[in-house]
Amino acid sequence: MSSEEEALEQLARCPVFRDLDRQALLQLLVSGRIECLANATVVDLARPDQCLRILYAGAVELRGEGQRRERGGPGLMLGLDAYLDQPPSHKDAEILREARVLTIPFDELRRLEETQPSLSGLFDGIITERIRNRNEEDNAPPRGVMAQPVSRVMTSPLVCSTATQTLRQAFETMRSRKIGSLGVTNGSGGLEGVATLASLTEAALSDDSNADAPLTRACRGVAIVAPDTPLWEAERLQKRKGMKYLVVMDGERPLGMVSQTNILSALLSQQDFSHNWIEQAGSLCRLAELRREAGNVARDAWERNRDANRAVRLLSDFHLAIQRRCVELTLEQLREDGPGEPPRGYALIIMGSGGRREMLLNPDQDNGIIIDDRDGPLSEPESDWFKRFCHAVNENLATAGYILCPGNIMARNPDYHHTLGEWQTVLQRICERPNQTHGRWANIFFDFSLLHGDTHLCEKLWQHSLDTLAKESRLLRFMAADDAEGRPALGWFNRLVTADDERRKGRVDVKRNGLRLICDAARIFALGAGLSETGTIERLRALVRQGTLSPDFADSVTAAHEQFMDLLFSHQLEQVEQGIEPDKLIDPSRLNALSRESLRMAMHAVKRFQDRLQGQYSP
């Protein structure tokens, strides 16, 4: 066997490269050079030479500051920190026994990332893991439902089949018992792994298999948790391992299964009395009182979950419930004051963070209205009713605590007040003759979702929008150009940089330089793919299902979004408790080292996402 063939086989056995296809491994081999490093050779990691060295035989000792040392074997990548533009986590590495490495220049590696999706996915996965690991280490565990042990929510008992059963028999067991997974045991009763409906299908459809093949073909590895493992820890393990199912074991005895559905059901079971209070509010003054409780609602959501995206979703639902009740009170006012019931169907829509369900502590108004025109143009009395209604809604929302939009993006503004046909005409004209102003407008408008009224009007406008963009896609390029005016907070060598203007000096605008860029890119890619989802995370997931983004790439962007939300949510909670008006400005010098580096890595993930967007949609 030649040295190249040996290197290829050794690399293929390394766990870190298990998802790398053989073509990518071959390209790595062709682009690098094989080196033998003698025992006691020292590789300087503090002053990298712009090369990545992949160890595929031998062992090394990594040496950090003081007495910190750790050993590494095949699959270790020396110089990885430098390639990812991170400060070195070790100062050097000493070869413990003769080692063989594949040395690849950084420039060649970046070129390979562009042509080999599985290699790019490998580094996306590393970025994701580093963002999340640092974030997890820095967060206290949640309380409430997510602190309860998995034994309280698991599906029990664990249904098992022996490995000698056929795929057909296993499927019949799942079908008859209405379950989506089962444990696979060996001859002595020990747990070998888990089979799911997906793995059964994959095994049955493989080239050398059929429905009567042994169940071992569909058996997949599984992560084990103890009965007293808290739910938050189980959910983190699911994310880290990319597994939907965890097996709960008491020693050698399987007790049950914990799925993502089990955890979601536990979360949905939480009683939220604030929504009952909102529904019972009989006046705008009462709504304003509840609106002032947003800080307490946010704090409770955060402490119950320690997941910023989930906490923000709960806070958004609180804001949206208040705004819907405000619309209902407005309708009651109009009935009592004389104008009466709505003369036509309508859909009051909400845009921006409200449409994405990503509202923080002090959102303003971003709304508009779609009026049903199936019965022809509006009469003057009908038009007057809707003008009065929208003006009252905007004023009442302001009374309830949601300030009037500084940009005048409100239903009382004629630019956001149209019948369905008028909206369709506006969008047709903008898509056919787009410009820079239209690009900025579209980045606000295309998060719209229903706040109150007829959902079918909202759905019809979305369908018209997607159909028009499929034929006239130039608007997406202007939206991308608008996004390009913002940049992640990174400078030379991808170092974290802060603003230097008087208002933001020494701080990072996490919304402008991070969250907004992710939202913009997810929105543009989603519109280009014909997707009507409005939430950023939902858009990323849909883009994976649709095939536009790889799971690893989307996961790295999701991790960055989680990190920004985590920092911003904690920051605003602290400001509210100190009586300070919440802002989006984070001072990196006040963060610990772990959070600072996680913020920088998140910015790096944003840069990769924005580069991909501009590469596809730049004019």
Side-chain angles (χ1 to χ4, degrees):
M1 181 183 291
S2 68
S3 58
E4 289 79 8
E5 291 173 329
E6 179 193 8
L8 186 64
E9 293 306 316
Q10 294 280 9
L11 285 171
R13 293 194 193 107
C14 296
V16 71
F17 297 121
R18 68 179 181 275
D19 293 326
L20 211 60
D21 59 59
R22 195 167 184 84
Q23 180 61 31
L25 281 173
L26 283 169
Q27 288 300 314
L28 276 177
L29 201 59
V30 170
S31 302
R33 64 181 185 276
I34 294 173
E35 294 182 323
C36 292
L37 303 179
N39 186 39
T41 300
V42 175
V43 180
D44 190 344
L45 300 177
R47 290 186 292 274
D49 60 356
Q50 297 299 297
C51 286
L52 184 73
R53 290 178 171 82
I54 303 174
L55 182 73
Y56 66 87
V60 302
E61 182 175 72
L62 299 166
R63 301 186 295 204
E65 297 299 325
Q67 300 299 313
R68 186 166 61 89
R69 296 167 183 256
E70 57 185 279
R71 295 194 176 191
L76 180 69
M77 290 182 271
L78 301 174
L80 179 62
D81 288 335
Y83 182 68
L84 297 177
D85 300 305
Q86 286 188 277
S89 51
H90 301 90
K91 63 180 182 179
D92 59 36
E94 181 180 356
I95 306 302
L96 297 181
R97 59 178 183 268
E98 184 178 82
R100 288 187 291 280
V101 299
L102 178 63
T103 301
I104 309 170
F106 285 176
D107 288 343
E108 280 296 305
L109 205 53
R110 292 189 182 99
R111 182 186 63 79
L112 285 176
E113 274 204 74
E114 294 177 0
T115 60
Q116 302 295 324
S118 63
L119 182 62
S120 179
L122 169 67
F123 291 112
D124 288 330
I126 292 171
I127 290 171
T128 301
E129 185 175 0
R130 292 190 175 195
I131 293 173
R132 284 190 171 139
N133 283 349
R134 288 183 168 94
N135 195 26
E136 288 171 5
E137 290 176 30
D138 198 37
N139 273 339
R143 61 172 179 79
V145 67
M146 291 301 285
Q148 65 181 315
V150 294
S151 57
R152 292 188 183 177
V153 304
M154 68 183 182
T155 300
S156 180
L158 177 64
V159 179
C160 293
S161 292
T162 62
T164 56
Q165 282 196 320
T166 65
L167 300 177
R168 188 192 308 276
Q169 290 171 324
F171 174 76
E172 285 300 324
T173 299
M174 289 189 195
R175 187 180 64 82
S176 64
R177 302 194 189 187
K178 297 182 180 180
I179 56 177
S181 61
L182 48 77
V184 181
T185 57
N186 56 32
S188 58
L191 187 69
E192 289 288 310
V194 168
T196 65
L197 286 172
S199 70
L200 285 177
T201 303
E202 182 182 350
L205 294 178
S206 63
D207 292 338
D208 59 344
S209 190
N210 57 62
D212 293 316
L215 184 54
T216 50
R217 296 284 184 91
C219 184
R220 301 292 182 264
V222 68
I224 307 293
V225 293
D228 59 353
T229 303
L231 274 184
W232 64 264
E233 190 174 317
E235 186 181 43
R236 277 186 187 175
L237 185 60
Q238 285 177 329
K239 284 185 178 180
R240 195 180 305 122
K241 299 287 187 181
M243 294 178 171
K244 293 183 178 180
Y245 301 97
L246 304 176
V247 173
V248 182
M249 300 276 286
D250 184 8
E252 296 296 317
R253 185 168 63 96
L255 298 181
M257 182 90 75
V258 176
S259 67
Q260 292 173 341
T261 303
N262 293 132
I263 295 176
L264 179 61
S265 297
L267 287 167
L268 292 175
S269 69
Q270 297 180 112
Q271 277 283 60
D272 191 346
F273 294 106
S274 63
H275 285 253
N276 294 333
W277 297 334
I278 293 168
E279 290 171 3
Q280 295 167 10
S283 68
L284 295 174
C285 289
R286 177 56 178 156
L287 283 182
E289 290 176 7
L290 292 170
R291 167 67 180 83
R292 287 191 288 272
E293 291 295 314
N296 292 328
V297 171
R299 169 60 67 186
D300 184 61
W302 173 244
E303 290 183 350
R304 279 190 286 155
N305 293 280
R306 293 294 172 181
D307 179 320
N309 278 332
R310 188 175 290 148
V312 167
R313 179 60 61 92
L314 291 170
L315 179 59
S316 295
D317 289 344
F318 170 80
H319 286 305
L320 292 171
I322 289 179
Q323 294 195 17
R324 289 187 181 106
R325 182 58 183 152
C326 186
V327 176
E328 292 170 357
L329 291 175
T330 302
L331 289 169
E332 290 178 13
Q333 287 178 347
L334 293 178
R335 292 188 193 102
E336 293 171 2
D337 293 347
E341 298 291 340
R344 300 268 187 115
Y346 67 89
L348 200 62
I349 57 175
I350 186 166
M351 294 163 270
S353 62
R356 299 191 306 272
R357 289 176 72 192
E358 295 169 8
M359 304 166 91
L360 294 170
L361 285 161
N362 57 345
D364 61 4
Q365 294 186 47
D366 288 307
N367 49 54
I369 192 169
I370 310 167
I371 304 170
D372 193 345
D373 56 0
R374 284 177 297 178
D375 295 332
L378 298 181
S379 66
E380 187 173 342
E382 289 175 326
S383 180
D384 289 343
W385 190 96
F386 281 109
K387 287 177 182 177
R388 181 168 178 176
F389 170 62
C390 291
H391 181 83
V393 164
N394 291 142
E395 290 297 327
N396 288 346
L397 284 171
T399 300
Y402 299 95
I403 64 171
L404 298 172
C405 176
N408 203 24
I409 303 171
M410 293 181 289
R412 71 184 188 184
N413 179 351
D415 290 340
Y416 295 92
H417 184 116
H418 298 297
T419 64
L420 177 61
E422 289 168 345
W423 272 116
Q424 291 172 338
T425 300
V426 167
L427 289 168
Q428 189 80 32
R429 185 176 65 250
I430 285 174
C431 289
E432 289 176 352
R433 294 185 291 276
N435 58 37
Q436 185 176 358
T437 301
H438 294 152
R440 178 154 298 180
W441 178 89
N443 272 326
I444 297 169
F445 179 75
F446 281 119
D447 290 333
F448 75 89
S449 63
L450 182 71
L451 177 63
H452 190 275
D454 185 351
T455 186
H456 293 100
L457 292 170
C458 198
E459 291 169 357
K460 287 179 181 178
L461 187 56
W462 259 115
Q463 192 58 56
H464 176 82
S465 301
L466 295 175
D467 290 344
T468 304
L469 283 168
K471 300 172 186 173
E472 302 283 352
S473 62
R474 287 182 300 156
L475 178 62
L476 299 179
R477 298 189 180 279
F478 284 96
M479 293 172 70
D482 177 61
D483 170 81
E485 294 182 9
R487 283 284 185 267
L490 295 172
W492 290 102
F493 307 111
N494 284 328
R495 302 296 189 232
L496 195 64
V497 295
T498 59
D500 55 9
D501 60 274
E502 189 62 33
R503 186 180 70 85
R504 301 177 300 152
K505 191 174 182 63
R507 295 180 289 177
V508 173
D509 190 327
V510 172
K511 180 178 179 180
R512 180 178 180 181
N513 300 118
L515 281 171
R516 197 205 96 184
L517 304 181
I518 293 177
C519 294
D520 284 352
R523 178 186 307 111
I524 295 165
F525 276 121
L527 291 172
L531 302 171
S532 61
E533 281 81 356
T534 56
T536 302
I537 300 302
E538 287 72 23
R539 280 171 166 162
L540 292 171
R541 290 171 181 161
L543 287 166
V544 171
R545 292 193 299 271
Q546 191 265 354
T548 300
L549 300 180
S550 71
D552 287 325
F553 188 85
D555 205 26
S556 70
V557 177
T558 300
H561 189 273
E562 290 169 352
Q563 173 64 9
F564 293 138
M565 278 294 192
D566 184 274
L567 286 172
L568 191 52
F569 202 65
S570 302
H571 170 69
Q572 290 201 347
L573 280 175
E574 183 179 335
Q575 288 182 311
V576 167
E577 289 169 358
Q578 293 174 356
I580 301 171
E581 182 68 18
D583 60 33
K584 284 90 175 175
L585 304 174
I586 301 292
D587 183 352
S589 67
R590 295 187 60 197
L591 302 176
N592 61 37
L594 286 174
S595 294
R596 266 196 312 275
E597 183 54 23
S598 190
L599 174 60
R600 197 193 67 79
M601 285 298 293
M603 289 293 179
H604 185 64
V606 173
K607 182 176 182 297
R608 289 166 70 95
F609 197 22
Q610 190 179 47
D611 287 347
R612 180 161 180 171
L613 175 73
Q614 298 304 322
Q616 183 165 335
Y617 286 105
S618 58

